[in-house]
Amino acid sequence: MTVFKSDFLNILDQRGFIHQCSDFAGLDALAARGQATAYVGYDCTAPSLHIGNFLSMMMLYWLQQSGNRPITLMGGGTTMVGDPSGKDESRAIRSIAEIEANKASIRGVFSRILRFGDGHSDALMLDNAEWLTKLNWIEMLRDIGRHFSVNRMLTMDSVRLRLEREQEMSFIEFNYMILQSYDFVELARRAGCRLQMGGSDQWGNIVMGVDLGRRMGTDPLYALTTPLLATASGAKMGKTAQGAVWLNAEQFSPYDFWQYWRNTEDADVVRFLKLFTTMPLPEITRLAALAGAEINEAKKILATEATALLHGRDAANAAAETARRTFEDRALAESLPSVEIPQAEFDSGIGVINAFVKAGLVASNGEARRQIKGGGLRVNDVAVSDEKMTLRPADLSPEGVIKLSLGKKRHILLRVT
């Protein structure tokens, strides 16, 4: 492990954030002086960011904690184009109204991680629509486009991999890396930003911005990326049977977020404690020594600390208590996630397979049947053995709910309204 002069790089190195850097010595000196203003860009393709974005947000958090200034860049302009990185097909073109709605929904999550204001290390939030939508096409070609080599652009992973797989890439997508590079230059001029951070799949786009800054006369710019998120077993992080692990509570409840971390593989617990909590490293080292069934206590701490960071301590404690009552006391915790069905639909008889599909615990009738054969579905903690079973008023608890379970760890309350 390298010893740096700056707290910022030492923290990131010790916690496992660093994958590549364009110039460690130059960035280290800048950060040690408290002059490393850095940004991460977030396109507005959905109403919420996801767990992959949480990793870059933590990089911005530690940047601020070390006395440097973070910038969160809303991609109001770049979202109109669509980033081709890691995609086999073109992203859907979104309307301006949809982009604006997504942008408004996304903004709030950053204030839970970062401190915004006018101080030296207070965070800024900017939007690249402010300058990208004002670019004149001819001026862009003359002043910006002339600095890019098509030969080099074709070697970038976002382009090369698409072409190797014989997947079509539109001209608008091909221009994305130019816009991202120009963002870096514009932020250097407007806010003294010298560092862009992101996942390793963004390395090509970021270093092209470093090069564009050199050609257009900015101060030296730097690139820093994190490893792509994957579990110890090699699975891509951030996917569940319900879909993506979103950061907004409206898309993914604090309880589901807590449960996601509680279900972490044993081999990932220490790594995730370093990346997704602010716990001191000596305390994480102590937890790393736990073995056997004790590792479950470390998972609960991971779940609670990660949830508290994103959703607040009260929501994290409530999720932990709900889980404790559900799994340890075998009680019906009213704060479990729920799905509502109309009284009329319930009275006419709702099949157990339909109920589990409606609850989102299984994706299809076929999956429900497979789970039943394997003993994976339970109604009020009793295994379902008959796929033709119908839920009836007698199945309702005194609180008017039916508890549906997939395995031992996923539960939904079916509420009749």
Side-chain angles (χ1 to χ4, degrees):
M1 189 172 292
T2 307
V3 177
F4 296 99
K5 296 177 182 178
S6 65
D7 288 342
F8 172 59
L9 285 181
N10 277 321
I11 291 170
L12 260 57
D13 188 38
Q14 292 163 10
R15 288 183 171 265
F17 283 93
I18 297 177
H19 180 65
Q20 290 173 289
C21 180
S22 59
D23 178 2
F24 274 119
L27 177 57
D28 191 30
L30 193 69
R33 297 194 300 269
Q35 296 175 352
T37 296
Y39 91 95
V40 178
Y42 300 93
D43 278 350
C44 311
T45 55
S48 172
L49 299 178
H50 54 76
I51 206 166
N53 303 123
F54 195 20
L55 186 66
S56 64
M57 290 166 65
M58 291 305 299
M59 294 177 77
L60 292 173
Y61 170 85
W62 289 117
L63 179 83
Q64 186 170 61
Q65 294 303 307
S66 61
N68 294 279
R69 190 173 206 183
I71 297 175
T72 58
L73 181 66
M74 295 288 97
T78 43
T79 309
M80 297 180 189
V81 173
D83 184 0
S85 301
K87 299 295 179 183
D88 285 336
E89 57 187 27
S90 299
R91 292 182 186 271
I93 297 294
R94 288 169 171 80
S95 68
I96 293 176
E98 184 180 1
I99 292 171
E100 289 300 315
N102 288 343
K103 189 193 309 179
S105 180
I106 286 169
R107 286 179 185 273
V109 71
F110 294 103
S111 61
R112 299 174 187 151
I113 307 294
L114 301 173
R115 180 187 69 255
F116 287 84
D118 299 322
H120 170 74
S121 61
D122 287 344
L124 292 175
M125 182 176 288
L126 300 174
D127 185 346
N128 60 22
E130 185 175 343
W131 52 85
L132 293 182
T133 57
K134 297 174 183 176
L135 284 174
N136 175 285
W137 178 240
I138 297 297
E139 289 177 350
M140 177 187 170
L141 291 176
R142 285 172 54 88
D143 299 339
I144 304 170
R146 66 188 177 89
H147 297 297
F148 288 83
S149 161
V150 172
N151 304 60
R152 187 183 181 198
M153 292 171 73
L154 289 172
T155 68
M156 295 297 166
D157 284 350
S158 60
V159 177
R160 179 179 59 81
L161 295 176
R162 181 83 72 85
L163 297 180
E164 287 178 355
R165 292 192 290 264
E166 297 185 355
Q167 299 286 345
E168 184 176 296
M169 170 173 279
S170 68
F171 178 70
I172 189 173
E173 289 179 290
F174 189 63
N175 280 271
Y176 187 93
M177 67 180 78
I178 297 177
L179 299 183
Q180 184 172 334
S181 299
Y182 183 65
D183 279 345
F184 203 174
V185 172
E186 193 68 24
L187 288 171
R189 292 171 171 173
R190 289 174 178 244
C193 181
R194 304 279 298 278
L195 170 64
Q196 183 181 173
M197 302 187 292
S200 61
D201 61 332
Q202 291 294 311
W203 176 254
N205 288 355
I206 297 174
V207 295
M208 288 192 81
V210 171
D211 185 61
L212 182 63
R214 178 181 61 81
R215 293 172 182 272
M216 296 186 72
T218 69
D219 289 332
L221 305 181
Y222 304 96
L224 182 65
T225 61
T226 63
L228 286 183
L229 282 177
T231 65
S233 62
K236 185 177 180 180
M237 249 192 98
K239 295 291 185 181
T240 71
Q242 295 168 286
V245 179
W246 300 108
L247 302 188
N248 282 15
E250 295 79 11
Q251 278 74 36
F252 203 76
S253 74
Y255 174 81
D256 285 333
F257 194 76
W258 191 96
Q259 275 296 135
Y260 176 81
W261 297 108
R262 172 63 181 82
N263 294 336
T264 294
E265 296 177 26
D266 291 0
D268 288 323
V269 174
V270 173
R271 180 164 65 104
F272 291 170
L273 281 166
K274 291 179 180 179
L275 293 174
F276 296 106
T277 80
T278 60
M279 292 179 63
L281 289 175
E283 178 63 13
I284 295 175
T285 300
R286 184 189 70 79
L287 293 173
L290 299 178
E294 289 183 323
I295 196 70
N296 288 326
E297 295 306 311
K299 292 181 182 182
K300 293 176 187 176
I301 292 171
L302 166 63
T304 300
E305 293 303 313
T307 305
L309 194 59
L310 188 67
H311 295 294
R313 183 64 59 179
D314 289 346
N317 289 341
E321 176 61 15
T322 296
R324 186 191 67 78
R325 291 187 62 203
T326 301
F327 303 123
E328 297 175 13
D329 294 350
R330 298 293 180 185
L332 183 63
E334 282 297 294
S335 52
L336 282 172
S338 64
V339 62
E340 296 180 349
I341 64 167
Q343 182 72 51
E345 184 178 350
F346 183 73
D347 290 342
S348 63
I350 180 169
V352 68
I353 287 178
N354 188 21
F356 274 90
V357 172
K358 279 182 175 292
L361 288 169
V362 293
S364 65
N365 292 355
E367 183 185 348
R369 292 188 179 96
R370 288 191 294 273
Q371 289 288 349
I372 289 172
K373 288 179 181 178
L377 300 188
R378 306 174 77 85
V379 173
N380 294 332
D381 295 324
V382 177
V384 178
S385 58
D386 180 7
E387 65 180 46
K388 296 181 180 180
M389 172 184 174
T390 300
L391 301 184
R392 304 181 183 281
D395 296 314
L396 290 168
S397 73
E399 297 82 11
V401 297
I402 299 174
K403 181 182 177 185
L404 305 180
S405 305
L406 171 62
K408 296 180 179 180
K409 296 180 178 179
R410 295 199 57 214
H411 310 273
I412 296 285
L413 299 182
L414 195 69
R415 297 185 182 276
V416 180
T417 58

